[in-house]
């Protein structure tokens, strides 16, 4: 199911040169997500663990999303709040993966914090978008992406919190609970493919409507 | 003990799945509320700008009618009375002549202002004859050659659509005269059963579209164009680059 990201990745690759440059971080995350998933698949098959690449990918993914929000002018052209958030994320990642825990185990702390930051940014972006957006929201790439981020990272934050506080539950329960995130992830990947279709082209003109 | 553990784990799993379901419902409700709210906001926005523009046009029409129907005949009557006075001296005759000239100038100016506010021809003859009346006037007043072509399938347009289109075209001519330093402006209007398409291109200095896009700094003229295009549920594209003139493309659906 994780490979459902391939649809969005293919559309992203095809449209990369023609789309508005502010969406590049999103396309990079989607293509990166596909590469990471493929790498994880191979690593699990041959080395039985995809933890290291997973821990690195979540950092790059959250930084790319913040870059995306900067491009969408979420921080009102001020760069310092975005850089402050990036610094916070980087510090927590170092703390979680290099100081408190190891890079070789799946670390929940960074995943929880980054998920919450992305959820807050997505909500803020949606609130800013509603009065300004013209036309059908279901064909608005920013709305679709933010809805996808909201869904995915809300579930992710909840599940990571669950894993953090209930370490004694069996692997069977963990797998069952994690499967919820897999279904959500699959749905969000399809949403991202839909969003990829509606990313506006590079504008050589002013669009008044 | 093992059975207790199983029961406890089943309870945890059930609770977790219920929590996930509740979260999903809340998130979907949030997203659908946003979509609903957006539709309401857009509708209110359209109603608001439509009301504003309608009021503006009504006021323009009232002032134009007052100027044309009240002030015009009043001045004509004054002129008639002044010319009916028998001058006793040569100086008086010259004075009467000068007063009549001033009154004629005032009458011409009143007609021009009334035409600018709301051309009579717009409601009587329609968009194309009004434009054909406007273009020679603009060419006479400014060093700009305007080429106007049209394809008209004699589709009757709604009166408000006619006014919006006229104002948009007027704004484009005004922008070209004021900002572009162009010597030529080509305009093409096509009215079919399904849509109205207007296209124009000048040979002026143009502007940096990327800069305007990034800064979102469209002036009042562009905002006017946008408002009227929005009211007609149409789409307008403006393309330009420094030294390359300005291209406007307007598409208005009629059905």
């Amino acid at each position: 199911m994780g490979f459902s990201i391939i649809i969005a990745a293919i559309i992203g690759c095809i449209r990369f040169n023609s789309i508005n440059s502010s969406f590049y971080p999103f396309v990079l995350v989607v293509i990166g997500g596909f590469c990471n998933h493929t790498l994880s698949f191979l690593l699990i098959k041959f080395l039985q663990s995809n933890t290291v690449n997973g821990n690195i990918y979540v950092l790059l993914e959250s930084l790319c999303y913040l870059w995306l929000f900067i491009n969408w002018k979420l921080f009102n052209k001020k760069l310092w709040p975005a850089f402050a958030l990036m610094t916070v994320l980087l510090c927590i990642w170092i703390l979680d993966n290099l100081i408190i825990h190891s890079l070789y185990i799946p670390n929940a702390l960074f995943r929880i914090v980054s998920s919450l930051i992305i959820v807050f940014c997505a909500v803020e972006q949606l609130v800013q978008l509603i009065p300004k957006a013209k036309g059908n929201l279901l064909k608005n790439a920013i709305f679709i992406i933010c809805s996808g981020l909201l869904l995915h990272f809300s579930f992710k934050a909840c599940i990571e919190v669950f894993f953090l506080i209930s370490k004694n539950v069996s692997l069977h329960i963990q797998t069952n609970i994690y499967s919820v995130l897999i279904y959500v992830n699959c749905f969000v990947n399809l949403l991202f493919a839909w969003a990829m279709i509606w990313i506006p082209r590079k504008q050589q003109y002013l669009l008044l409507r | 003990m093992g059975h207790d553990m199983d029961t406890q784990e089943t309870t945890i799993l059930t609770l977790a799945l219920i929590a996930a379901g509740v979260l999903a419902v809340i998130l979907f409700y949030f997203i659908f509320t946003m979509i609903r709210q957006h539709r309401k906001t857009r509708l209110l926005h359209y109603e608001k700008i439509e009301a504003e523009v309608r009021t503006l046009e009504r006021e323009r029409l009232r002032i134009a009618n007052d100027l044309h129907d009240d002030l015009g005949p009043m001045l004509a009557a004054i002129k008639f009375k002044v010319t009916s006075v028998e001058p006793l001296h040569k100086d008086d005759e010259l004075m009467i002549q000068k007063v009549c000239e001033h009154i004629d100038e005032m009458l011409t100016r009143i007609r021009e202002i009334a035409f600018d506010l709301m051309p009579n021809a717009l409601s009587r003859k329609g968009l194309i004859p009004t434009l054909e009346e406007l273009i020679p006037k603009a060419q006479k007043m400014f060093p700009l050659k305007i080429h106007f072509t049209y394809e008209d399938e004699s589709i009757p347009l709604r009166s408000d659509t006619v006014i919006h289109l006229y104002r948009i075209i007027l704004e484009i001519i005004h922008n070209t005269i004021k900002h572009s330093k162009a010597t030529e402006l080509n305009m093409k209007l096509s009215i079919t059963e399904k849509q109205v398409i207007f296209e124009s291109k000048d040979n002026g200095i143009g502007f940096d579209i990327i800069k305007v896009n990034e800064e979102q700094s469209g002036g009042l003229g562009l905002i006017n164009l946008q408002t009227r295009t929005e009211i007609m549920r149409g789409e307008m594209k403006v393309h330009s680059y420094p030294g390359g003139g300005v291209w406007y493309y307007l598409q208005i659906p009629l059905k």
Side-chain angles (χ1 to χ4, degrees):
Chain A
M1 272 196 184
F3 276 108
S4 54
I5 192 74
I6 195 169
I7 306 169
I10 289 171
I11 301 170
C13 286
I14 294 168
R15 295 201 63 210
F16 193 79
N17 284 328
S18 65
I19 60 171
N20 191 316
S21 59
S22 65
F23 286 84
Y24 283 169
F26 174 67
V27 181
L28 286 181
V29 168
V30 168
I31 295 170
F34 171 68
C35 295
N36 180 55
H37 206 79
T38 314
L39 185 66
S40 295
F41 179 76
L42 295 172
L43 286 173
I44 288 170
K45 200 167 185 183
F46 297 110
L47 297 172
Q48 277 79 46
S49 172
N50 65 337
T51 320
V52 176
N53 66 307
N55 281 335
I56 295 169
Y57 175 72
V58 287
L59 172 68
L60 298 177
E61 181 192 40
S62 37
L63 293 178
C64 273
Y65 279 128
L66 281 179
W67 176 21
L68 185 67
F69 287 121
I70 293 172
N71 286 353
W72 288 344
K73 316 250 177 347
L74 176 69
F75 305 99
N76 294 328
K77 293 181 185 172
K78 286 177 198 159
L79 287 178
W80 71 263
F83 285 128
L85 283 176
M86 282 180 178
T87 313
V88 166
L89 282 178
L90 208 60
C91 291
I92 291 172
W93 189 86
I94 292 169
L95 202 71
D96 194 24
N97 289 278
L98 303 177
I99 298 171
I100 303 175
H101 306 112
S102 157
L103 198 60
Y104 296 94
I105 54 164
N107 294 313
L109 180 66
F110 175 78
R111 285 176 167 85
I112 294 166
V113 175
S114 65
S115 298
L116 288 176
I117 287 176
I118 292 169
V119 166
F120 295 148
C121 288
V123 171
E124 191 65 33
Q125 187 70 52
L126 283 172
V127 169
Q128 285 188 15
L129 180 78
I130 296 302
K132 285 189 222 160
K134 289 163 187 172
N136 190 348
L137 274 187
L138 297 174
K139 292 176 183 174
N140 185 312
I142 297 180
F143 179 78
I144 305 165
I145 293 168
C146 285
S147 302
L149 292 179
L150 186 62
L151 282 170
H152 181 254
F153 285 101
S154 301
F155 275 98
K156 194 173 174 180
C158 292
I159 285 169
E160 292 293 346
V161 168
F162 177 80
F163 286 156
L164 193 71
I165 58 173
S166 53
K167 283 181 176 161
N168 296 327
V169 293
S170 68
L171 191 67
H172 167 71
I173 291 277
Q174 284 189 17
T175 314
N176 271 319
I177 289 174
Y178 199 74
S179 64
V180 173
L181 191 61
I182 293 172
Y183 285 112
V184 172
N185 192 31
C186 180
F187 176 71
V188 171
N189 286 344
L190 295 176
L191 266 185
F192 282 175
W194 179 245
M196 206 63 95
I197 294 169
W198 292 105
I199 291 178
R201 286 171 169 273
K202 273 178 193 162
Q203 274 193 25
Q204 296 300 323
Y205 49 78
L206 281 178
L207 188 61
L208 311 176
R209 63 178 181 192
Chain B
M1 188 71 180
H3 183 260
D4 278 356
M5 198 67 178
D6 277 356
T7 318
Q8 200 185 351
E9 288 205 339
T10 313
T11 313
I12 292 172
L13 187 60
T14 313
L15 285 175
L17 289 177
I18 290 170
V22 170
L23 182 62
V25 169
I26 292 170
L27 289 173
F28 275 105
Y29 180 73
F30 175 71
I31 291 166
F32 285 118
T33 307
M34 286 251 166
I35 295 172
R36 218 175 46 208
Q37 191 57 41
H38 174 256
R39 283 186 185 150
K40 270 187 199 169
T41 312
R42 293 313 297 165
L43 207 67
L44 279 174
H45 173 70
Y46 284 134
E47 281 173 3
K48 186 175 164 259
I49 55 173
E50 264 187 74
E52 277 174 10
V53 172
R54 207 179 298 128
T55 312
L56 179 78
E57 294 298 345
R58 205 181 295 141
E59 273 304 289
R60 278 180 169 163
L61 182 66
R62 190 185 63 77
I63 298 169
N65 284 342
D66 284 354
L67 284 173
H68 192 267
D69 301 340
D70 292 352
L71 219 55
M74 219 180 276
L75 279 172
I78 292 169
K79 189 185 169 189
F80 178 73
K81 281 186 180 169
V82 169
T83 46
S84 63
V85 173
E86 286 291 325
L88 296 173
H89 304 286
K90 188 82 178 161
D91 288 353
D92 294 342
E93 199 183 328
L94 274 173
M95 182 60 79
I96 288 168
Q97 205 180 326
K98 273 193 176 176
V99 169
C100 286
E101 278 170 15
H102 283 306
I103 291 172
D104 285 339
E105 273 173 29
M106 281 170 79
L107 280 167
T108 314
R109 192 72 197 109
I110 282 171
R111 271 196 291 273
E112 279 172 4
I113 293 170
F115 183 87
D116 287 347
L117 284 168
M118 182 63 75
N120 265 335
L122 206 56
S123 54
R124 282 190 287 110
K125 297 176 192 167
L127 180 65
I128 291 166
T130 313
L131 289 174
E132 284 178 325
E133 200 175 320
L134 169 83
I135 289 164
K137 281 184 186 173
Q139 291 192 119
K140 208 190 269 180
M141 287 170 74
F142 304 99
L144 177 70
K145 189 143 186 66
I146 303 173
H147 304 280
F148 175 58
T149 52
Y150 60 88
E151 289 166 31
D152 186 9
E153 292 178 7
S154 300
I155 309 295
L157 296 174
R158 281 174 48 183
S159 61
D160 51 346
T161 307
V162 170
I163 293 172
H164 292 316
L165 282 169
Y166 175 75
R167 296 277 176 228
I168 286 173
I169 296 169
L170 200 64
E171 186 70 50
I172 289 171
I173 295 174
H174 180 255
N175 285 349
T176 310
I177 290 165
K178 198 176 169 192
H179 306 291
S180 77
K181 295 178 184 166
T183 53
E184 266 186 48
L185 172 66
N186 290 299
M187 302 197 298
K188 190 182 171 191
L189 179 69
S190 159
I191 304 172
T192 62
E193 210 171 306
K194 285 182 183 168
Q195 60 186 2
V196 176
I197 292 176
F198 173 78
E199 205 175 346
S200 81
K201 175 92 178 79
D202 68 47
N203 64 346
I205 54 170
F207 61 91
D208 190 349
I209 207 92
I210 296 164
K211 207 174 157 188
V212 175
N213 247 339
E214 278 172 2
E215 293 171 1
Q216 295 177 335
S217 60
L220 198 63
L222 284 180
I223 292 168
N224 282 339
L225 295 181
Q226 182 172 15
T227 307
R228 289 186 188 273
T229 310
E230 264 186 61
I231 292 172
M232 294 187 285
R233 310 287 196 272
E235 189 175 282
M236 180 173 241
K237 291 172 185 171
V238 186
H239 176 57
S240 182
Y241 58 91
V246 185
W247 170 78
Y248 292 93
Y249 180 85
L250 171 72
Q251 189 180 18
I252 308 292
L254 292 180
K255 280 190 174 175

